[in-house]
Amino acid sequence: EVQLVESGGGLVQPGGSLRLSCAASGFTVSSKYMNWVRQAPGKGLEWVSAIFSSGNTDYADSVKGRFTISRDNSKNTLYLHMNSLRVEDTAVYYCAREAARYFDLWGRGTLVTVSS
Amino acid sequence: DIVVTQSPDSLAVSLGERATINCKSSQSVFYSSNSKNYLAWYQQKPGQPPKLLIYWASTRESGVPDRFSGSGSGTDFTLTISSLQAEDVAVYYCQQYYNTPITFGPGTKVDV
């Protein structure tokens, strides 16, 4: 079955760090463009980061310098390393596969709460 | 960044009636070299991730019922649900992928 399963969310204090994982099945992560998209509670969707099949990466200005996207081809898994977390980073983080810069497959998401 | 807006914020439609959602981008998302509009539509039900409905402004994703249709070009787009069903109650988002950063509209809530 083709699917994405996120994990790693939780409660973290402002200034803290967290690593999110997204395990893919049914396709190869390294052959696709993969993204993280987040949704603050009760709010809309915000694109966060992308990693391309080449390995190049891209980030929203709001997370640039704090978040790092990566992948482990041997585990067919996507990651988002989040440092210097802020209250405004609180959101459900979705892993999403790109077809042609639109997203044709989404995971169920993992909730990150940044609070003291 | 391309700003994407949607109207209305919410609408209530009787079962079997038509629902129309508008999406506007702050600049054209039409790429003349391939004659494609870089605009997608998603449906999100409570507690679920978004689901792709339409891409290239008017191409229906496999498995999406044909009561969903997309139209428009350049900066103005429309998602139409021709005959609203109870299972269509959701928030609908449009997204431009012409430029980075990818940006989404704020969403339109559709209710019965």
Side-chain angles (χ1 to χ4, degrees):
Chain A
E1 182 185 4
V2 178
Q3 65 176 356
L4 298 166
V5 179
E6 302 94 335
S7 61
L11 175 63
V12 61
Q13 291 189 336
S17 299
L18 212 54
R19 187 187 77 165
L20 306 183
S21 300
C22 171
S25 55
F27 72 99
T28 303
V29 161
S30 61
S31 68
K32 296 289 188 179
Y33 291 10
M34 297 296 297
N35 292 254
W36 290 96
V37 177
R38 68 185 180 183
Q39 186 170 35
K43 301 297 184 182
L45 301 166
E46 180 188 16
W47 172 77
V48 173
S49 181
I51 184 166
F52 306 113
S53 51
S54 64
N56 289 341
T57 59
D58 195 12
Y59 299 92
D61 285 347
S62 58
V63 307
K64 202 170 291 184
R66 301 188 299 122
F67 290 11
T68 302
I69 190 172
S70 64
R71 67 186 181 216
D72 184 330
N73 296 342
S74 66
K75 295 181 178 180
N76 208 31
T77 297
L78 178 73
Y79 300 102
L80 186 67
H81 307 257
M82 304 185 295
N83 296 322
S84 302
L85 281 161
R86 305 167 180 168
V87 171
E88 56 265 34
D89 295 318
T90 294
V92 174
Y93 284 73
Y94 294 104
C95 171
R97 184 182 73 178
E98 269 191 43
R101 302 252 70 191
Y102 56 86
F103 307 118
D104 67 344
L105 181 68
W106 297 68
R108 296 201 63 85
T110 187
L111 176 62
V112 173
T113 303
V114 185
S115 174
S116 55
Chain B
D1 298 4
I2 295 178
V3 176
V4 180
T5 57
Q6 291 181 231
S7 63
D9 294 335
S10 64
L11 75 161
V13 177
S14 300
L15 293 175
E17 296 300 305
R18 178 185 300 259
T20 301
I21 301 168
N22 300 302
C23 174
K24 190 175 185 67
S25 58
S26 61
Q27 66 184 75
S28 176
V29 298
F30 179 74
Y31 194 39
S32 57
S33 66
N34 60 8
S35 297
K36 289 182 182 292
N37 287 284
Y38 284 55
L39 194 286
W41 289 95
Y42 300 87
Q43 175 194 64
Q44 186 177 33
K45 297 180 180 180
Q48 296 186 20
K51 172 189 172 184
L52 177 66
L53 295 177
I54 302 281
Y55 55 95
W56 302 129
S58 60
T59 302
R60 202 178 300 114
E61 172 72 333
S62 175
V64 173
D66 61 6
R67 62 180 180 274
F68 291 93
S69 64
S71 63
S73 185
T75 61
D76 293 280
F77 301 90
T78 300
L79 175 70
T80 301
I81 309 172
S82 61
S83 176
L84 190 80
Q85 304 300 303
E87 61 265 31
D88 301 335
V89 169
V91 178
Y92 293 83
Y93 295 94
C94 57
Q95 173 225 334
Q96 70 79 22
Y97 48 101
Y98 180 86
N99 260 354
T100 186
I102 288 167
T103 48
F104 294 86
T108 294
K109 185 175 182 180
V110 174
D111 225 326
V112 175

